Amino acid sequence: MREYVGRFAPSPTGPLHFGSLVAAVGSWLDARAHGGRWLLRMEDVDEPRCSPGAAEEILRALEAFGLEWDGEVMVQSRRKEAYREAIEELRRQGRAFGCACTRNEAGDRYNGACRDGLAPGRTVRSWRFRVPEESVAFVDRRLGRFEERLATTCGDVVLLRADGYFSYQLAVVVDDAAQGVTDVVRGADLLDSTARQAALHLAFGHEPPRWLHLPLAVNREGQKLSKQSKAPPLDLRRTEEELFQALKFLGVGAEPGSRGEMLQAAKINWRLMFPEL
Ligand code: GLU
């Protein structure tokens, strides 16, 4: 069996809200229930969306909840060299190409117009990953098997954006591999990115991690909790209550108690819910 390495990878765009607590607690529980390490990574690759001070605030919130992480925090804005090299590696394999298309020209499903070179007079705006022709399959530990043909669903994936920032899809794959992550546990909002990430892992010759997508917390209007939907920040004066609610949401409801007692009980329940790896 592979040694277990899990991670929590928040984007420091604002303070943690209930939805991010659910993802943090779920990935922490899965790692600790399987005797694994739990790493932390600040996903500030999309620098214009990040807010100053948010990363520090996230670390303080995790500490307040008793969610201890292992080792140094990886910070994506310091990893540009690794992302550049990764694109170079794909380019050498003929799997990455410079693309001249504007967002409008590319549309939602990029049809590969620049795959074989640019028309005269056009210049490179972004770099893309040439998705495989065949479909990509992956297994989610809760939701089962998925199969997706990326050429039909999203087309060639952006690696380096026209504004000069590396894409989330590239950074997450390069970093999960660099940190030796064996298990990705995160919200179900990221389920539709997973096939793209699996394809990238395979192109780099990595063994993809296992995936577990947690149920997604939504507000009364059914919207995902996020900065855009104005989710309130976690109340750090009521960490016991917030933690109790997060555990209840995850279905590992413990009795209300101290943070340590609740996490301990939840760890045992988690192991019963997700025994197999
Ligand atoms: N940084 C992403 C987010 O906060 C999560 C990425 C991941 O867990 O793969 O939505």
Side-chain angles (χ1 to χ4, degrees):
M1 202 173 95
R2 289 192 266 179
E3 181 205 4
Y4 186 114
V5 181
R7 49 69 157 181
F8 177 53
S11 301
T13 55
L16 293 185
H17 51 70
F18 185 73
S20 18
L21 179 63
V22 167
V25 171
S27 65
W28 185 91
L29 280 173
D30 198 50
R32 299 307 189 211
H34 294 100
R37 286 160 50 75
W38 189 63
L39 309 180
L40 200 57
R41 183 167 74 233
M42 281 299 155
E43 296 211 319
D44 59 352
V45 68
D46 190 352
E47 292 177 44
R49 281 190 56 231
C50 295
S51 46
E56 195 49 37
E57 224 178 322
I58 291 173
L59 300 184
R60 297 294 82 81
L62 293 173
E63 280 168 357
F65 283 97
L67 300 172
E68 283 173 16
W69 61 90
D70 296 305
E72 295 273 306
V73 179
M74 181 178 267
V75 179
Q76 287 190 326
S77 55
R78 300 189 198 136
R79 303 251 315 135
K80 292 180 184 163
E81 203 41 50
Y83 306 146
R84 220 181 312 274
E85 275 167 24
I87 295 182
E88 185 51 32
E89 185 183 329
L90 292 176
R91 198 189 61 78
R92 275 197 302 269
Q93 290 182 38
R95 304 290 302 267
F97 61 91
C99 175
C101 297
T102 61
R103 193 181 284 241
N104 257 347
E105 288 168 333
D108 291 338
R109 184 167 56 81
Y110 183 72
N111 67 4
C114 302
R115 274 184 170 187
D116 300 314
L118 305 189
R122 306 262 286 167
T123 49
V124 172
R125 294 170 52 84
S126 61
W127 280 82
R128 289 179 185 266
F129 168 57
R130 183 179 187 129
V131 295
E133 275 313 304
E134 63 278 12
S135 46
V136 182
F138 67 92
V139 175
D140 177 274
R141 287 164 50 205
R142 187 172 72 92
L143 301 165
R145 186 175 189 277
F146 289 81
E147 196 173 321
E148 183 176 334
R149 186 172 177 272
L150 295 166
T152 319
T153 54
C154 61
D156 295 334
V157 177
V158 173
L159 302 170
L160 178 63
R161 308 181 337 189
D163 61 6
Y165 292 101
F166 292 96
S167 73
Y168 155 68
Q169 306 292 355
L170 174 73
V172 77
V173 167
V174 171
D175 291 347
D176 278 336
Q179 290 187 293
V181 169
T182 61
D183 288 81
V184 170
V185 179
R186 60 187 181 186
D189 53 324
L190 291 162
L191 194 56
D192 64 4
S193 287
T194 305
R196 277 174 268 179
Q197 294 171 14
L200 276 168
H201 277 295
L202 294 172
F204 286 120
H206 310 150
E207 184 179 355
R210 287 174 289 235
W211 277 287
L212 170 58
H213 289 88
L214 302 168
L216 199 62
V218 293
N219 64 18
R220 280 202 194 89
E221 285 75 47
Q223 299 160 318
K224 175 195 159 192
L225 301 183
S226 68
K227 193 171 164 182
Q228 289 75 25
S229 69
K230 306 228 169 358
L234 292 166
D235 184 349
L236 298 187
R237 290 161 312 183
R238 296 169 57 247
T239 49
E240 264 94 7
E241 174 59 20
E242 299 266 25
L243 182 61
F244 177 71
Q245 293 302 336
L247 293 171
K248 196 163 126 190
F249 181 83
L250 285 167
V252 279
E255 297 293 312
S258 71
R259 287 184 307 259
E261 284 162 358
M262 286 191 285
L263 287 174
Q264 189 55 30
K267 215 158 72 175
I268 294 166
N269 287 341
W270 192 272
R271 179 98 212 179
L272 296 172
M273 283 164 62
F274 295 104
E276 296 301 328
L277 274 182

